[in-house]
Structure formats: C-alpha cells, structure tokens
Amino acid sequence: MHHVVLDRWSRGQSWIHARDARVKLASALALLVAIATVRPGVYGPVAGSLALAAIAASLARLPVWGLLWRAGLVLPFTGTFAAMSWLSGDAERAASLVLKSYASAFSVILLLAVTPFPALCRAAEWFRVPRILILLMQFIYRYLFVVSEQAQHMWLAAACRGGDRRLRFRAAAGAVAVLFARSYQRAEGIQHAMQARGFKGRFEALGGSRFRVADLLFLTVALLLILGIRTGGGQAWNR
Amino acid sequence: MEPLIEVRRLRFCYEDGALALDGVDFRLDPAETVALFGPNGSGKTTFLLHLIGLLRGEGEVIVCGKPVRRENLRFIRRKIGMLFQDADEQLFMPTVLEDVAFGPLNQGVIPEEAQKIAAAMLAQVGMESAAGKAPYHLSAGEKRRVALAGVLATGPEILVLDEPTTFLDPPAQRHLLDVLRSLPQSKLVATHDAAFAAALATRAVFFERGRIVDSGPVEEVARRHGWRT
C-alpha cells in the first residue's frame, strides 16, 4: 500500500530539508502574509511568490509538477467563491482569489513536503501555537493516512471483483459510508495501540533540532527575497 | 507468591448488548506463560484489552498489586506490554526507529536515550537494519517483530500477545517463537495455534462464550477441545 506522498517527500535529504523546521515555518508564514496582503488586481507579487516557491521546490529536489498538481486541489473550493465574485461583476477580485489561493496552497504543500510533520508540530509549539490546535493537526494528519489506506484496500477489493472507478452515485455513497466506518474501526485500533504504549497526547520526536548558521542564512535570504518580491520587482511587473 | 495479574468475576457487555465476558477468573504468576485458546468471538481479545485498561467491565482486575483504574493506568501500561493482533495498527510512526522509540519517549526518556533503547530492541528482534525504513514497507513477519520491539522498548514485566502468528508464514512464526522464548517476561498469549502455544506456554486456558471453561497443561487443554491442527 502506498501512503500519502507528502510524508515520503518530507523525508528528503536536500539542503532545504535539512534546515530547522522553525525557519521553514517562519519563511512559509512570511510568504503567506506577502501573498495575502496583495491588493486585488495586482498579480506580480503573487506570481513572483509562486515562482520563488517553485524554485525552492526544485532546489529541494521535489517534483515541481507534482506539487503544482496537488496545489490545484484548492481550486474547486476557491473557484466557487471566485465564480461568485465574477458573476457579481468583480473579475479582478475573482482572478486574485484564484491566484492567491493557489499560490498559498502551493506554499503550504511545499512546507509540508520539506519538513517532517512531527518537526513541523514542534516548530509550531516553539511559536506558541495553542496546544489544542497542534493536537488537532496531528490527529487530522495521522487519520488522513488511515482513511487513505482503507480507501486503497476497498478500491483493490472492488477492482478484484470487476468494479470500476465510475461507480454509480448510490454505490459511491455507500462505499464512502463503509470507508468511514472502516476507518473509524481502524482508528480505534490505532488509538488502543497508542494508549497501550503510554501516549500522553503529544507526539514526541526523536531528533532534537539545533539552530545552525545555515538556518539563519536560509531565513535571511528567504525573508529578503519575499520582501523584494512583495515590495519591488513584482509591482514593477504590473505597471 | 503474589500474582502478576489477578482477575476476579470480570464481566463486560459491548454497547450493542453482546455479552463478551461473563464472570472470568484468572491468575498469572511470575515466570509463567499462559496460552488463551478459544473460538473467534469467545472473549479473548476483550479480556486482554481489560488488562491494560482499554476496556472497563464489572469485576476486579489487579496488575502487579494495583487495580486497573484511571489513576493506575500509567503504572499498569509500564508493567504490561501488549502486542496487538494487527501489526499495522501498532506501527503508526513514519519510520521503524521512531515507532520503537514511541513508548520510551512517552515515558519521559530523553530522545538520545530513547534512540539507543529503540536501536537495542530492534537488534534484539533482529530488525536493526530496518531502523530507517517506513513500517508499511516491511513484510508481515518483519512488522510483527518491529511491533514486538516497540513493546519491549517500554520495559514491560508482562507481555500480552494477541494472535501473534496471524499472517505469518512458517519461517516467520519460528523466528517469532525463538525471539519470544528468549524473553524473560511472563507472557499471556491468545492464539489459535496449538503447536505455537505448546512451544511457548506452560499452561493454557480455554475461553468459550465469555467464560474460562477449562485450564491445564497446553497439550491436554488443546486435546480436550479439539484444538489440534
């Protein structure tokens, strides 16, 4: 069974992977803020941020097209709101919404693809993110694996009996219900196993992180580039 | 001699009303290995889950002198290491080493020490070469051994094994048996495999409809209930 590829990607060996999770989280947050604060109708900084993230992905030896494709998952959701803006006569806002949400999703996926999730949670703790939020993130992330695995089992079982992907609506709805029931059962088993080994509500990590000069260099360069794109070069592109 | 585990009149009903345990009395003494036989649905797993406080029924369960209650759970889960039936449920961390270190880290062991313990436990079960692998890339036998290493890393005095030979081919079963026989802990093994139980256990009990209906030497209990393959 293959699992969520992001987890595999996050275990890479590149220079960017080796950086402290805190500097990567801080850089990603800076990039998200830079994207979010761009006025509707100004596309340069957003496109520049996306390009910067794509270059970072390439330097991290990640499949850029794979990341671009996965970031597209956000489009059906934001596309709905963009369509509403478009229909109400605000085409610029609609285009900005689509572009900004896509660039933001790409940045977040990139962060997850270069940082193992436990390290990311530790970094969030360091930034004083409320514990309950971190715990929720951890469980959602972990149970995505559970649901994904169960879905793969069910798809294989269906394929073995001649089922195809184009399930009729009723069959698909039934399959989703079974998927969640099975995932629930599986999740309960995992919870038991975790409790049996003394789980206290927090995933402890093996490797402690250490802030190095290279991390400071990474953070400085990242922030300067983001600042530059946000305030300078990108704006010029729109004039 | 004070028993390691003592269970008195344990009774448990699931939410759907199914009576899973109906007045179970049981005792595990130090240095003893007991096999639990019984058909599917006879209550073996439900019984084992009560020992580490994952289910609560009526009656009394005492582990190493302490009753299984909320305030004693941390103590009890240090004393009992449980190997679950489905190793995939037990291996939830991204790498084998992290998974084995999960228990010690939750016990408050510092990361460097937890890593050493995990490496030593992996070596004990012959899986040191898998430390950096993702658990889902392992074979069924390897997963079982890694899960066992994860249990051993918590330093338990009692091992509770739920169907440990499920999904294992004969060589993997033999290897697991060798590892288990080399471990000094008292053991409680729920299994359908009478030969495996005979090679490991000193005594057997037979579960039927939530009750222990027979107890004695492994071969005799297996023979009386037609539990030979």
Side-chain angles (χ1 to χ4, degrees):
Chain A
M1 284 292 149
H2 67 84
H3 277 247
V4 178
V5 287
L6 276 179
D7 201 66
R8 183 160 45 83
W9 286 346
S10 73
R11 308 268 154 188
Q13 300 293 323
S14 75
W15 187 80
I16 293 180
H17 281 92
R19 299 287 51 82
D20 189 293
R22 289 168 293 185
V23 301
K24 286 184 275 186
L25 181 57
S27 307
L29 286 174
L31 193 62
L32 288 173
V33 170
I35 294 168
T37 54
V38 173
R39 279 184 292 113
V42 179
Y43 306 114
V46 184
S49 300
L50 187 58
L52 178 63
I55 291 167
S58 174
L59 291 174
R61 297 198 289 273
L62 292 168
V64 179
W65 289 111
L67 284 169
L68 287 166
W69 170 252
R70 280 169 177 80
L73 285 174
V74 79
L75 293 178
F77 304 100
T78 54
T80 309
F81 294 100
M84 285 157 68
S85 287
W86 187 284
L87 291 172
S88 63
D90 197 345
E92 273 192 345
R93 187 174 293 276
S96 275
L97 186 59
V98 169
L99 190 57
K100 284 164 80 171
S101 62
Y102 183 76
S104 303
F106 187 88
S107 309
V108 171
I109 289 174
L110 174 62
L111 175 65
L112 288 169
V114 294
T115 319
F117 196 69
L120 197 59
C121 289
R122 270 204 315 282
E125 265 185 39
W126 191 84
F127 282 111
R128 301 281 183 270
V129 173
R131 198 60 203 288
I132 185 74
L133 276 183
I134 294 171
L135 199 61
L136 274 174
M137 272 163 43
Q138 287 174 329
F139 276 105
I140 290 169
Y141 188 79
R142 225 144 274 280
Y143 288 119
L144 278 179
F145 281 77
V146 176
V147 175
S148 146
E149 190 189 11
Q150 292 303 316
Q152 287 168 49
H153 280 300
M154 285 173 63
W155 182 81
L156 264 185
C160 289
R161 286 185 284 158
D164 75 36
R165 286 169 183 270
R166 294 163 296 167
L167 289 171
R168 284 176 299 126
F169 177 76
R170 266 181 74 179
V176 168
V178 172
L179 170 66
F180 280 101
R182 285 175 56 141
S183 302
Y184 179 82
Q185 205 174 23
R186 183 70 151 184
E188 202 175 33
I190 293 171
Q191 186 205 7
H192 279 166
M194 289 164 81
Q195 285 180 325
R197 286 202 278 162
F199 184 62
K200 293 180 295 191
R202 178 185 172 179
F203 288 96
E204 308 286 349
L206 259 189
S209 57
R210 200 179 300 159
F211 199 85
R212 297 166 200 273
V213 176
D215 298 317
L216 185 63
L217 179 70
F218 175 89
L219 185 64
T220 309
V221 171
L223 292 180
L224 285 174
L225 285 172
I226 292 165
L227 195 66
I229 288 169
R230 177 67 185 83
T231 57
Q235 297 282 23
W237 189 62
N238 288 288
R239 284 186 203 123
Chain B
M1 185 165 47
E2 188 174 307
L4 289 174
I5 296 175
E6 192 166 18
V7 178
R8 295 188 206 121
R9 310 299 303 157
L10 183 61
R11 194 172 185 280
F12 179 76
C13 271
Y14 280 102
E15 282 173 4
D16 63 2
L19 182 62
L21 296 175
D22 187 13
V24 172
D25 291 304
F26 179 80
R27 178 186 168 109
L28 178 76
D29 286 321
E32 194 182 25
T33 293
V34 177
L36 309 185
F37 289 143
N40 292 329
S42 59
K44 302 186 296 294
T45 298
T46 305
F47 173 71
L48 297 182
L49 292 177
H50 276 82
L51 302 182
I52 49 172
L54 291 172
L55 291 176
R56 307 281 176 81
E58 297 165 24
E60 206 170 4
V61 181
I62 298 165
V63 175
C64 298
K66 293 204 178 193
V68 177
R69 289 195 203 121
R70 183 182 286 273
E71 62 268 27
N72 295 332
L73 284 184
R74 186 166 292 183
F75 169 85
I76 284 162
R77 288 173 186 169
R78 275 174 179 251
K79 294 289 179 186
I80 295 183
M82 182 157 178
L83 189 69
F84 286 79
Q85 188 173 2
D86 186 346
D88 279 321
E89 286 177 356
Q90 197 150 2
L91 304 174
F92 40 77
M93 295 300 280
T95 67
V96 164
L97 189 72
E98 285 171 278
D99 203 279
V100 177
F102 179 88
L105 285 171
N106 275 287
Q107 289 176 343
V109 175
I110 57 167
E112 292 76 17
E113 190 59 30
Q115 190 159 347
K116 277 185 198 164
I117 294 171
M121 292 306 127
L122 282 172
Q124 190 169 356
V125 299
M127 287 298 294
E128 60 271 44
S129 60
K133 285 186 182 174
Y136 48 84
H137 285 155
L138 305 176
S139 69
E142 290 171 330
K143 281 180 186 172
R144 188 75 67 185
R145 281 191 277 157
V146 169
L148 180 61
V151 169
L152 294 175
T154 60
E157 283 181 28
I158 306 159
L159 286 177
V160 171
L161 314 163
D162 191 4
E163 308 277 7
T165 54
T166 308
F167 304 131
L168 299 191
D169 55 32
Q173 287 187 20
R174 276 197 298 276
H175 194 285
L176 181 69
L177 182 63
D178 291 341
V179 171
L180 290 174
R181 288 174 82 166
S182 71
L183 299 172
Q185 285 91 345
S186 295
K187 299 171 198 78
L188 197 50
V189 190
T191 182
H192 292 303
D193 187 338
F196 182 84
L200 191 64
T202 45
R203 178 165 71 91
V205 297
F206 197 90
F207 271 78
E208 202 168 74
R209 295 190 194 125
R211 287 170 160 262
I212 291 178
V213 294
D214 197 2
S215 173
V218 179
E219 297 279 358
E220 287 179 21
V221 171
R223 197 183 60 246
R224 281 199 289 270
H225 296 273
W227 219 247
R228 276 277 172 223
T229 50

